[in-house]
Amino acid sequence: RLLSAHIFCVFSIILTTVVPSLFLENFSVLGTHLTWLCICSICVTIVNIILYIIFKPNPSSKRISFAHKVTRFLKCCVYFFISCILFHGIIVLYGAPLIESVLETFLFAVLLSTFTTLQCLCMLGPNIQAWIRVFSKNGAMSIWDNSLQITTMCSIVGAWLGAFPIPLDWDRPWQIWPISCSLGATFGYVAGLIIAPLWIYWNRKKLTYKSR
């Protein structure tokens, strides 16, 4: 199930670079980067939610009322928005323009939240304690938790590495803010999706999970 979910996520990223060009004139990842950021974030969000509904990585034995589901969904929306604001602030602290390119920075923050926070919300729900537990040492309780750790870290590291070419005087179109960072985050996310199942399979005999 984990491998299937990751394959679908990888293909969703690939489709965001190919399918829009069939419907949008002059579409390209670099030339119309803000449009691609929106399409990629929306596509990955939809795919992750559908996969969560199908695979149910952390099923609950308790019967949940409709009102509780609505409240949980609204909390997830609030958490996601807060994540976008926090990522936006962190990106600015790391050197992004404060006043100029606000839309570009915020859409990049939304993309990062989609690659990281959205997965936490799908798998763990709006439960900060569960998030802290998963990302603490030996906190993983399932292969889904390990996958969450790897894909999240790869996305953030990819975005960080993507910032290195920006100040260089190469005058390349992909050095315009935030193209290299968003591409770095995307490549990191895809790398995490590929690495996670391989790492889990390689270490399958060493992995032991504490009971809930």
Side-chain angles (χ1 to χ4, degrees), residues 82-197:
I82 293 173
S83 170
C84 294
I85 299 298
L86 289 175
F87 269 122
H88 185 101
I90 293 170
I91 294 166
V92 169
L93 290 175
Y94 268 87
L98 177 61
I99 300 176
E100 299 178 357
S101 306
V102 174
L103 178 61
E104 289 84 347
T105 304
F106 184 73
L107 289 179
F108 174 46
V110 172
L111 184 74
L112 269 180
S113 295
T114 304
F115 290 158
T116 57
T117 307
L118 178 68
Q119 292 191 96
C120 294
L121 291 171
C122 287
M123 294 189 190
L124 306 174
N127 186 346
I128 298 298
Q129 292 182 344
W131 295 18
I132 295 173
R133 188 258 308 161
V134 167
F135 290 99
S136 62
K137 186 177 181 181
N138 300 323
M141 290 184 176
S142 67
I143 59 172
W144 295 96
D145 290 349
N146 286 124
S147 168
L148 189 59
Q149 293 172 341
I150 294 171
T151 53
T152 299
M153 292 306 299
C154 285
S155 300
I156 294 174
V157 171
W160 178 67
L161 292 175
F164 280 83
I166 292 178
L168 302 177
D169 57 349
W170 295 345
D171 295 328
R172 295 291 189 271
W174 49 265
Q175 287 180 278
I176 300 172
W177 173 256
I179 295 178
S180 62
C181 287
S182 55
L183 291 180
T186 305
F187 285 127
Y189 176 65
V190 172
L193 292 172
I194 296 172
I195 292 170

Side-chain angles (χ1 to χ4, degrees), residues 13-50:
I13 296 291
I14 297 173
L15 289 177
T16 60
T17 63
V18 178
V19 175
S21 61
L22 302 177
F23 302 96
L24 300 176
E25 189 177 354
N26 299 324
F27 174 85
S28 68
V29 175
L30 299 182
T32 54
H33 191 66
L34 296 186
T35 304
W36 177 79
L37 283 176
C38 296
I39 294 173
C40 185
S41 298
I42 293 171
C43 183
V44 173
T45 298
I46 293 172
V47 169
N48 271 276
I49 292 174
I50 292 174

